[in-house]
Amino acid sequence: MSEIQVLKPQKTWSHLAARRRKPSEYEIVSANLHYNDRDPNSPYELDPGMFMNEWYKRNTFATALKHEDWNAFRDPDEVVYRTYNLMQDGQETYVFSLFDQFNQREHDKALDPRWAGTLARLYTPARYLFHTLQMASAYVGQVSPASTLTNCNYFQMADSLRWVSHTAYRTRELSLAFPDKGFARDERSYWEEDPAWQGFRELMERALTVWDWGEAITVLSLVVKPAVEEAVLRRLGEAGRHNGDTLLGLVTDAQLIDVARHRRWTAAFVAMAVQTPGNLEQMRAWIAKWEPLADRAIEAYCNALLDVPDAAAAAKAATRDLRRGVGL
C-alpha cells in the first residue's frame, strides 16, 4: 500500500507567500485581484474575438509600456477602500465645516462683485473639468493590467468626484449671494465658449480618446493632471486669497492634499516602469507629444488670472519640476 502524502496547508495566499511574512491588509485586499490577466488570448474567458477581449488585447496587453509583472506594483500609501473612506470622511468633514463657518460669517457678502464675476467665469465651470478627470481616471483604472494600479486610479477618480461636489456646493452658495452673475446658469457656456477654458477643453477631450493604457496613464498622471492642478487649483487659490476669498484658498489647499497622494503613487509607478528598457524613452515621447497642448491650456487659463503675476510661467515650471522629480 503506497504512502499517502499529506499536503502542508498554506499559511497565506499563494501569490503572497514569497514574501515569507504575514501579509498586510493592503496586500490581502489589493494585490492580484484581476482575473482578466490569466489568459492573454481571452481576458474575459469568452470568444477571443469578442469586442471586449479584442479591446484589452489591443489596448492593455499590446501597449508599448511593458513590465514583466505589473502586479508587483504597490501604492506607497497602501490605501484600501476602508482606509480611503476613513481618511476622506475626515477631509470632507473639514471642507464642509469650512463651508458652514464661512457661511455663518457671511463670507460671500464681503466679496467684491468683480471677483464674484471672475468666480462665475473661472471657478464654477471647473466642475466640468473635474468631471473629465474623473472619467479619465475611471478608464485608466478599468483597463489597468494590475489591481493595485486600478485601485489607485479609482481612488483618484473618487477624489475628482469630491472636487466636483465641492464646486457644485459653492456654485449654489454663490448663486444665492450674487443672483445677477450667472452662477448655476452660465457654467456650460463658459466651458464651451470662453477662451480661458478652451485649452483645457481640447486637452481633456483629446485625452479622453486615448485608448492605449500605457499612453493614457502617462498622459493623465504626468501631463494632464499636473496642468490642471497647478493652474486651476494652485493659481486660482492664490488669486482667491489676493481678492479676500480665503474660503477658495482653503478649499483648493484641501484638494491639493489629494493631489500630493496621487503624485506619490505616480512616482512609484514611474520608478517601476522605467526598470524595463525602452519605457523611459517611450514615456518621454508621449510627454513630448502632449506637453505643448497642456502648456497652451495653462497659458489660456492663467492669462485670465490677472491678480497672479507670471501664473502661466509658474504653473508650467511646476509641471516640469514634477516630471523631472520622477526621472522624466
Side-chain angles (χ1 to χ4, degrees), residues 167-312:
T167 311
Y169 191 95
R170 283 297 290 146
T171 300
R172 178 57 178 160
E173 287 191 325
L174 288 164
S175 73
L176 297 175
F178 299 96
D180 61 329
K181 296 298 183 182
F183 289 108
R185 187 181 67 238
D186 296 341
E187 281 81 14
R188 180 172 177 175
S189 61
Y190 280 125
W191 171 248
E192 293 182 347
E193 300 171 12
D194 193 290
W197 287 109
Q198 298 320 295
F200 276 119
R201 191 162 73 91
E202 180 182 4
L203 176 65
M204 295 312 305
E205 288 180 359
R206 292 184 182 277
L208 284 168
T209 61
V210 178
W211 310 133
D212 179 276
W213 171 76
E215 183 174 3
I217 192 172
T218 300
V219 170
L220 176 62
S221 298
L222 294 162
V223 180
V224 167
K225 282 184 80 282
V228 173
E229 293 153 3
E230 295 301 330
V232 183
L233 292 184
R234 202 178 306 276
R235 268 72 210 180
L236 181 62
E238 292 176 12
R241 286 189 166 93
H242 182 82
N243 286 277
D245 193 352
T246 307
L247 175 57
L248 177 60
L250 291 172
V251 170
T252 55
D253 284 350
Q255 293 165 341
L256 286 166
I257 293 174
D258 302 328
V259 169
R261 193 182 75 255
H262 304 166
R263 292 182 178 185
R264 285 194 294 273
W265 78 253
T266 296
F269 165 72
V270 173
M272 179 181 184
V274 298
Q275 295 171 3
T276 301
N279 280 352
L280 177 60
E281 293 75 16
Q282 181 62 71
M283 295 176 83
R284 283 176 172 168
W286 282 326
I287 289 169
K289 170 185 171 184
W290 285 85
E291 189 176 67
L293 191 60
D295 285 350
R296 290 197 295 273
I298 290 171
E299 290 165 3
Y301 183 83
C302 287
N303 287 342
L305 296 174
L306 303 180
D307 300 311
V308 184
D310 302 319

Side-chain angles (χ1 to χ4, degrees), residues 9 37 77 79 99 109 140 142 152 155 173 176 197 296 300 328:
D37 57 359
D77 287 291
V79 179
F99 292 159
K109 290 183 179 180
V140 172
Q142 172 66 37
C152 286
F155 293 137
E173 287 191 325
L176 297 175
W197 287 109
R296 290 197 295 273
L328 295 171

Side-chain angles (χ1 to χ4, degrees), residues 15-56:
H15 67 275
L16 298 175
R19 294 175 177 265
R20 302 184 67 81
R21 60 170 173 77
K22 181 180 179 181
S24 66
E25 177 188 16
Y26 170 75
E27 292 170 318
I28 293 170
V29 303
S30 301
N32 293 69
L33 298 184
H34 285 176
Y35 67 87
N36 57 8
D37 57 359
R38 298 172 186 169
D39 182 355
N41 189 48
S42 183
Y44 281 90
E45 301 177 353
L46 295 169
D47 179 3
M50 186 184 72
F51 172 79
M52 203 63 179
N53 281 330
E54 292 293 339
W55 187 275
Y56 271 75

